[in-house]
Amino acid sequence: MRLNLGLAFALVIVVLASLMAGRSWIPFDHWFAGDLKSLIIMELRLPRAILGAIVGASLGMAGAAMQGYLRNPLADPGLFGVSSSAALGAVISLYFGFAVSAWLLPLFALAGAGLGMATLALLAGRSGSLILFTLAGVILSSLTGALTSLLISLAPTPFATSEIITWLMGALMDRSWDDVMLAAPLSAVGMLILLQCGRALDALTLGDTAARSLGIDMLRLQWMLVLAIGLCVGSSVAVAGIIGFVGLVVPHLVRPLVGAKPSALLIPSALAGALLVVLADCLVRILPSVSEVRLGIAMSVLGAPFFMMLLFKMRREVA
Amino acid sequence: MDLSFDALSLTLRGRPILKGISGHLKQGQVTAILGANGAGKSSLLACLSGVRSADAGLVRLDDQDLSSLASIERARAIGLLPQQADIHWDVNVRSLVALGRLPHQGSWGGHPDDAAAIEEAMAQTDCLSLADRKALRLSGGEQARVLLARVLAGRPEWILADEPLANLDPAYQIDVMNCFKAAAANGAGVALVLHDLTQAARIADHVIIMKAGSIIASGAAADILKADHLAEAFGVKVHIGADDQGAPIIAAVGRFR
């Protein structure tokens, strides 16, 4: 509880601080001045920061739930193929040049996520088997990945190609309140469903058989997770593209602080994920470069060394 | 609440595992299920606990069809200790034992008896001193006791345990056996898959001997644990004796070829 409060407090501070940061530094006394600078704050940076927090929270909590469900600390919300099917949806809209309307791309991405989940349902069947399910996810994600590459290679113009590739790298620039309105309710519902699954994830600590004997309906759990992760990941891909590493790394950061119990990880992972994405987004804005570094790239560049550190620490513990 | 099964059949990957077997387990008794490896003991236990549904036949808890019960109600009534000690996350012992309370808790909030039930289960299995240790850093025997405490914490009316003595040293084997005896004396039903014939003879009121998916003998322990049944089930010669208190000792001393 104390950790959650601390993280929430830190998140508020970082979101507020992030409003100042960017190509043009805007100190607090300009925020409500009603001039151009306050417009930047209210119409650009505030929705961007909030969107960063939503995306980070969704991915962080989805990652924690995935690791709990698969009982594998290397699982990532992308593993079900939901994020790559969402990306495929978005890429289709870019390919056909539909992106002229601000709403179409995210809607295509969401439709992609939905179709991805339906395919997953068809592939995995009703067995509730973890292995079948994971395999179905892997197949889905490689299929959608291949289709995305196909679209890139067939893109009508080099401009479309570069647009697709840039979009795939993930970013939060030039987002508006519309994106917040789209992502917030979907992510919120997704996260609520994940929280509802917390106890079932705890039961899985004892393995499949024991979890069933504790009254957990594995099939129901499986589809609640698909729905929730589809909502969380689908909405975050829709508004920010693919941002890797958050779902994988954040639960690891939180685990030493709250223990390994899956349900206890969910809320702190959401808060820490939000914190991480907002921080990283600040960083890409203030880095001196010709065009802004894509958030997805920055996340991986930051995330990888961090993960290596964790790995070294784990290695010492194993030895 | 007695647990009975009727014409239970199960086929896995084309191999018949249970061949239409029937039986009746009484609450307040310890039932030992014996048989050679692959005889279908664990599958029977899985069907009785409701985690596996049979292809044909019924499991009844009193007069109720087990498969018609909501899974949460079934979980409150029947606790299963699986053969494999699966612990996937390094949680502390107390929260592992607390998982046994899940069927009483719903998705949110707790149950007023949680703390007392957890404490009692840990005391019964001598786990209180382990409460704050990490589950994955325990020895095999300690893990076995903690997992048993997890089952007891749910205060089920039926305790089904698949080879609960594996991994335990002789002292803890006796402790765990006494634990099951106490549970049965308190009115719970206990069914154990066992390999240790002496322990089975000492603890069980009722014995079921299985061979290749069928029940070859079932009844009061003293009547069933006889050389001929054991020879048929395991293909071994046994020596049946008694210690100076008169408690049975059954040792396999040779093999029929």
Side-chain angles (χ1 to χ4, degrees):
Chain A
M1 200 60 219
R2 230 203 264 138
L3 177 76
N4 287 342
L5 286 178
L7 282 170
F9 183 70
L11 180 61
V12 171
I13 300 291
V14 168
V15 165
L16 289 177
S18 81
L19 299 182
M20 290 185 221
R23 280 295 143 76
S24 101
W25 282 85
I26 305 179
F28 181 71
D29 51 341
H30 280 277
W31 288 11
F32 303 103
D35 56 7
L36 193 66
K37 284 184 172 173
S38 73
L39 205 65
I40 294 181
I41 295 283
M42 289 305 162
E43 293 301 321
L44 290 173
R45 290 195 185 163
L46 190 56
R48 179 172 181 162
I50 291 177
L51 210 57
I54 293 172
V55 167
S58 304
L59 293 175
M61 194 187 277
M66 280 292 286
Q67 295 185 2
Y69 177 61
L70 298 176
R71 287 154 274 159
N72 186 335
L74 293 177
D76 169 283
L79 209 66
F80 282 175
V82 177
S83 60
S84 50
S85 23
L88 177 63
V91 167
I92 289 174
S93 82
L94 289 169
Y95 179 87
F96 290 107
F98 292 163
V100 281
S101 153
W103 282 94
L104 269 173
L105 184 140
L107 288 181
F108 264 71
L110 286 174
L115 273 176
M117 288 187 278
T119 315
L120 202 58
L122 274 175
L123 281 172
R126 299 179 40 81
S127 67
S129 144
L130 201 74
I131 294 174
L132 274 183
F133 191 60
T134 313
L135 276 177
V138 170
I139 292 170
L140 179 65
S141 82
S142 69
L143 177 69
T144 46
L147 289 176
T148 301
S149 304
L150 181 71
L151 285 182
I152 292 173
S153 65
L154 294 179
T157 61
F159 176 71
T161 310
S162 92
E163 199 184 20
I164 292 173
I165 292 175
T166 319
W167 184 85
L168 278 176
M169 291 170 189
L172 284 169
M173 63 174 102
D174 307 327
R175 296 301 190 266
S176 69
W177 285 108
D178 286 346
D179 296 293
V180 175
M181 293 305 161
L182 180 82
L186 298 177
S187 292
V189 172
M191 287 196 269
L192 278 177
I193 301 176
L194 289 181
L195 287 173
Q196 172 86 30
C197 293
R199 292 247 162 107
L201 295 176
D202 289 348
L204 275 175
T205 302
L206 296 166
D208 251 34
T209 312
R212 278 176 214 262
S213 82
L214 283 167
I216 306 302
D217 180 341
M218 293 296 285
L219 198 64
R220 180 163 168 271
L221 174 64
Q222 178 177 305
W223 295 119
M224 277 175 69
L225 282 177
V226 173
L227 179 65
I229 286 170
L231 285 168
C232 285
V233 176
S235 67
S236 71
V237 173
V239 296
I242 292 185
I243 295 177
F245 256 107
V246 181
L248 181 63
V249 169
V250 162
H252 286 279
L253 295 180
V254 176
R255 217 168 263 131
L257 304 173
V258 300
K261 192 168 140 180
S263 67
L265 280 174
L266 294 175
I267 290 178
S269 292
L271 291 168
L275 198 61
L276 190 66
V277 170
V278 175
L279 268 176
D281 190 47
C282 283
L283 198 67
V284 298
R285 286 197 309 230
I286 52 180
L287 276 183
S289 58
V290 184
S291 68
E292 197 178 292
V293 178
R294 307 292 291 184
L295 180 59
I297 300 177
M299 212 66 201
S300 301
V301 170
L302 284 176
F306 203 86
F307 213 53
M308 279 183 225
M309 255 166 54
L310 268 175
L311 204 69
F312 277 120
K313 200 173 145 252
M314 280 160 91
R315 212 170 63 177
R316 271 204 305 276
E317 278 169 16
V318 170
Chain B
M1 277 214 241
D2 288 357
L3 196 59
S4 58
F5 50 105
D6 192 16
L8 221 50
S9 300
L10 180 70
T11 303
L12 289 178
R13 295 184 195 91
R15 211 166 72 86
I17 305 291
L18 301 177
K19 299 175 180 164
I21 55 179
S22 305
H24 187 98
L25 279 56
K26 281 209 185 69
Q27 208 168 8
Q29 287 195 343
V30 177
T31 301
I33 303 171
L34 306 177
N37 292 328
K41 309 179 297 292
S42 298
S43 300
L44 174 60
L45 212 63
C47 289
L48 291 178
S49 69
V51 298
R52 186 181 278 289
S53 44
D55 301 330
L58 272 185
V59 177
R60 284 203 200 83
L61 192 61
D62 263 352
D63 292 328
Q64 264 190 308
D65 178 359
L66 196 64
S67 60
S68 73
L69 279 183
S71 55
I72 197 88
E73 283 176 50
R74 190 201 68 214
R76 272 179 218 150
I78 303 176
L80 172 69
L81 180 64
Q83 185 174 1
Q84 207 159 11
D86 269 339
I87 301 177
H88 290 280
W89 296 109
D90 203 8
V91 297
N92 73 32
V93 165
R94 190 182 296 275
S95 43
L96 198 75
V97 174
L99 292 176
R101 298 298 298 166
L102 285 179
H104 299 275
Q105 291 174 330
S107 293
W108 319 95
H111 186 279
D113 295 345
D114 286 352
I118 292 166
E119 202 75 9
E120 187 187 294
M122 290 179 68
Q124 281 172 357
T125 49
D126 196 16
C127 287
L128 282 171
S129 60
L130 307 175
D132 296 315
R133 298 261 305 272
K134 294 284 189 195
L136 290 178
R137 286 166 218 184
L138 302 176
S139 71
E142 287 168 332
Q143 283 187 358
R145 277 149 52 207
V146 168
L147 290 171
L148 174 61
R150 188 276 296 171
V151 176
L152 296 176
R155 292 180 171 165
E157 285 163 71
W158 275 92
I159 300 169
L160 311 183
D162 200 347
E163 294 187 31
L165 302 183
N167 287 328
L168 291 176
D169 66 35
Y172 275 118
Q173 288 191 9
I174 290 172
D175 285 357
V176 164
M177 278 303 177
N178 287 335
C179 221
F180 287 123
K181 252 186 215 166
N186 285 330
V190 177
L192 311 172
V193 169
L194 290 175
H195 278 306
D196 186 320
L197 300 173
T198 299
Q199 295 287 14
R202 288 174 177 220
I203 191 178
D205 304 294
H206 184 92
V207 171
I208 293 175
I209 298 185
M210 295 183 68
K211 186 182 184 185
S214 302
I215 292 177
I216 59 171
S218 164
D223 302 334
I224 299 301
L225 289 171
K226 291 276 163 62
D228 50 345
H229 289 142
L230 296 172
E232 187 185 349
F234 298 102
V236 292
K237 261 178 257 177
V238 294
H239 173 81
I240 301 180
D243 64 14
D244 46 14
Q245 316 279 317
I249 297 175
I250 304 179
V253 291
R255 199 175 167 131
F256 294 113
R257 296 278 170 192

